[in-house]
């Protein structure tokens, strides 16, 4: 494929990468639905199979990838600045395959305490059982150096962290990791989605995006992607093949359609989220707003240095006299924020979350209840009015 040069800006890359090339072609790739691929001779079949074994692209069999999927992989790889990308049926499937492509029985894995909760579950419930030790480190890296062991094989981080958006100093983490032989650094890059953050350019070996969120952008597809540097590619691709991971070309097509508008959506959602965050900071019932783009957020300096923007995701902590029940009622009073999991779509969402339940190192004792908001593409004035109405109702409940 004749792909755009990697020195182009991200908005240009997502417009031009992964497009069909040639004379009289469609703007978008066709959706090539297939299991079987037929060949005109045994020689061409064997050639295709041998090419696929060397990790070349091209049709061999439905499970081994489709042209539609390859187009999407080209876009994601261009954004992430990696060697190659591979699609998975969900963000979590991408994460678990990335981890399994690195670790063997007897290895030790270090995982950031602020990781997406199912990652913690996979490490504790599955990796330990296959003989891989797993421990957690603070997102501020204060205990990381002391926790690296001779058998540490993988450091898994997520920046910013889930729920409270703790910023991780990735260049510092990479420096610590690379002082040891054989330590792979992998990053969950769903928050930045390749547009706002590029871990591979900061020295990470693997970057994972839950495309379900911003890349797809319309809350209608589950999808994940792992992008690696040259060193980690073969192991990742082989593990994906061994485990039989594949993605429907229809889902890949929907994600391709979504990713073309990633930059306008994310920048708009960031602008609105920043307005909502500033407004929430001034509300008496809210004690803390967690959003790295806020100048007084503890992670702001790292965010400013390493990220090119933010997104629509923020959390707010209520005053300690606001009960969990009152917080549930607040979320239910909101008219424009749906109640549900996930984020990254065009619509606003609100969900009570529990930091204490998903962290093992940091303590949330004596702190207030937290709601995570995802700010969609609605008008900021309408969203703020909706929040104002629900907060006023909450205040009346406290007074009465
Ligand atoms: C949602 C999410 C995932 C998992 O993605 P799915 O597609 O839901 O499996 C992984 N990491 C982060 C940070 C997420 O928010």
């Amino acid at each position: 494929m004749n792909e755009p040069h990697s020195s182009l800006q991200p908005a240009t890359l997502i417009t031009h990468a992964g497009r069909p090339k040639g004379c009289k072609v469609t703007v978008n790739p066709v959706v090539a639905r297939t299991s079987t691929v037929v060949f005109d001779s045994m020689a061409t079949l064997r050639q295709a199979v041998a090419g696929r074994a060397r990790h070349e692209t091209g049709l061999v069999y439905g499970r081994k990838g489709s042209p539609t999927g390859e187009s999407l992989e080209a876009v994601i790889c261009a954004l992430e600045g990696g060697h190659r990308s591979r699609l998975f049926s969900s963000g979590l499937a991408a994460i678990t395959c990335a981890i399994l492509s690195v670790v063997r029985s007897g290895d030790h894995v270090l995982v950031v305490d602020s990781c997406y909760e199912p990652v913690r579950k996979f490490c504790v419930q599955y990796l330990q059982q296959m003989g891989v030790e797993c421990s957690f480190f603070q997102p501020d890296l204060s205990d990381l150096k002391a926790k690296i062991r001779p058998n540490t094989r993988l450091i898994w981080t997520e920046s910013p962290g889930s729920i409270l958006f703790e910023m991780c100093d990735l260049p510092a983490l990479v420096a610590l990791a690379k002082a040891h032989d054989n330590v792979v650094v992998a990053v969950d890059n769903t928050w930045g989605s390749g547009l706002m953050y590029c871990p591979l350019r900061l020295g990470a070996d693997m970057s994972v995006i839950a495309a379900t969120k911003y890349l797809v952008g319309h809350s209608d597809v589950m999808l994940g992607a792992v992008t690696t540097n040259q060193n980690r590619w073969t192991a990742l691709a082989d593990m994906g093949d061994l485990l039989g991971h594949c993605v429907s070309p229809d889902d890949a097509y929907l994600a391709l359609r979504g990713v073309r508008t990633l930059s306008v959506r994310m920048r708009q959602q960031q602008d609105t989220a920043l307005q909502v965050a500033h407004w929430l900071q001034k509300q008496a019932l809210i004690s803390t707003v967690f959003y790295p783009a806020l100048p007084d957020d503890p992670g702001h300096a790292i965010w400013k240095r390493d990220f090119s923007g933010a997104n629509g995701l923020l959390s707010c902590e209520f005053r300690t006299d606001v009960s969990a029940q009152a917080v549930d009622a607040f979320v239910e009073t909101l008219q424009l924020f749906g109640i549900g999991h996930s984020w990254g779509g065009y619509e606003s969402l609100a969900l009570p979350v529990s930091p204490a339940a998903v962290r093992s190192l940091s303590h949330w004792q004596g702190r207030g209840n937290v709601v995570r908001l995802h700010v969609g593409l609605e008008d900021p004035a309408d969203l703020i009015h909706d929040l104002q109405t629900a907060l006023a109702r909450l205040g009346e409940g406290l007074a009465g």
Side-chain angles (χ1 to χ4, degrees):
M1 252 197 267
N2 177 20
E3 285 300 314
H5 197 270
S6 60
S7 63
L8 292 167
Q9 295 299 313
T12 312
L13 290 174
I14 58 174
T15 309
H16 287 273
R19 294 254 302 269
K21 302 293 178 320
C23 164
K24 235 179 165 182
V25 290
T26 53
V27 171
N28 295 300
V30 296
V31 179
R33 291 191 193 93
T34 199
S35 53
T36 298
V37 176
V38 288
F39 297 85
D40 60 354
S41 69
M42 279 313 297
T44 51
L45 181 148
R46 288 196 181 107
Q47 211 173 7
V49 170
R52 185 56 175 63
R54 293 192 301 270
H55 301 288
E56 288 164 13
T57 54
L59 275 173
V60 176
Y61 175 53
R63 199 180 63 229
K64 303 288 182 89
S66 70
T68 332
E70 283 168 9
S71 285
L72 179 60
E73 287 168 348
V75 178
I76 294 172
C77 192
L79 265 186
E80 290 264 41
H83 171 64
R84 289 275 292 271
S85 301
R86 194 190 198 285
L87 300 179
F88 292 86
S89 58
S90 71
L92 187 59
I95 290 169
T96 57
C97 188
I99 294 174
L100 290 173
S101 77
V102 178
V103 299
R104 297 291 172 268
S105 175
D107 288 342
H108 172 239
V109 174
L110 273 162
V111 180
V112 73
D113 197 43
S114 53
C115 70
Y116 179 62
E117 198 208 352
V119 176
R120 174 183 295 276
K121 226 181 206 170
F122 175 75
C123 292
V124 171
Q125 294 183 13
Y126 187 82
L127 285 187
Q128 310 255 60
Q129 175 242 109
M130 69 175 258
V132 175
E133 289 177 291
C134 167
S135 32
F136 294 90
F137 65 92
Q138 296 281 7
D140 67 3
L141 311 184
S142 53
D143 56 352
L144 180 63
K145 193 171 181 201
K147 285 184 173 172
I148 298 178
R149 303 179 193 171
N151 63 336
T152 301
R153 185 76 180 102
L154 173 68
I155 300 180
W156 182 272
T157 192
E158 181 179 328
S159 191
S162 278
I163 295 184
L164 297 179
F165 316 116
E166 301 96 326
M167 203 53 72
C168 168
D169 187 341
L170 185 60
L173 183 153
V174 168
L176 279 175
K178 299 301 165 188
H180 299 259
D181 287 336
N182 248 354
V183 178
V184 173
V185 175
V187 182
D188 184 326
N189 189 23
T190 303
W191 194 91
S193 278
L195 188 73
M196 302 307 191
Y197 193 46
C198 296
L200 295 168
R201 298 187 208 272
L202 298 174
D205 302 292
M206 297 198 286
S207 175
V208 182
I209 297 177
T212 308
K213 309 288 168 58
Y214 277 108
L215 255 64
V216 163
H218 296 74
S219 307
D220 51 2
V221 179
M222 301 298 302
L223 207 71
V226 183
T227 305
T228 76
N229 61 16
Q230 195 149 9
N231 276 344
R232 295 308 316 166
W233 171 252
T234 305
L236 185 270
D238 287 346
M239 185 55 69
D241 283 358
L242 276 175
L243 297 175
H245 283 292
C246 63
V247 157
S248 139
D250 292 277
D251 288 348
Y253 187 88
L254 287 171
L256 262 177
R257 182 183 244 263
V259 77
R260 301 297 182 198
T261 57
L262 181 69
S263 62
V264 282
R265 285 185 286 107
M266 271 184 100
R267 288 193 195 283
Q268 180 61 51
Q269 282 169 276
Q270 158 186 281
D271 287 353
T272 306
L274 196 56
Q275 289 182 51
V276 168
H278 279 299
W279 182 83
L280 283 169
Q281 279 190 314
K282 291 189 225 120
Q283 306 310 307
L285 289 171
I286 305 291
S287 57
T288 319
V289 178
F290 301 90
Y291 188 61
L294 285 172
D296 49 356
D297 187 276
H300 186 72
I302 295 175
W303 173 76
K304 223 170 157 181
R305 186 192 67 192
D306 293 345
F307 289 68
S308 62
N311 61 25
L313 203 58
L314 60 119
S315 289
C316 54
E317 177 189 359
F318 284 82
R319 245 170 39 190
T320 49
D321 57 334
V322 178
S323 69
Q325 265 170 317
V327 165
D328 281 0
F330 164 80
V331 163
E332 287 165 358
T333 308
L334 292 167
Q335 295 296 302
L336 298 176
F337 291 79
I339 302 171
H341 294 287
S342 198
W343 43 272
Y346 59 87
E347 82 289 14
S348 291
L349 295 167
L351 194 69
V353 289
S354 170
V358 296
R359 301 279 196 276
S360 53
L361 303 178
S362 43
H363 297 291
W364 195 255
Q365 274 136 17
R367 302 282 305 249
N369 288 297
V370 180
V371 168
R372 187 185 69 190
L373 296 175
H374 177 254
V375 166
L377 291 168
E378 300 92 337
D379 190 282
D382 288 332
L383 293 179
I384 288 172
H385 182 258
D386 195 25
L387 289 163
Q388 189 164 30
T389 307
L391 273 181
R393 180 85 59 87
L394 178 59
E396 286 160 22
L398 285 179

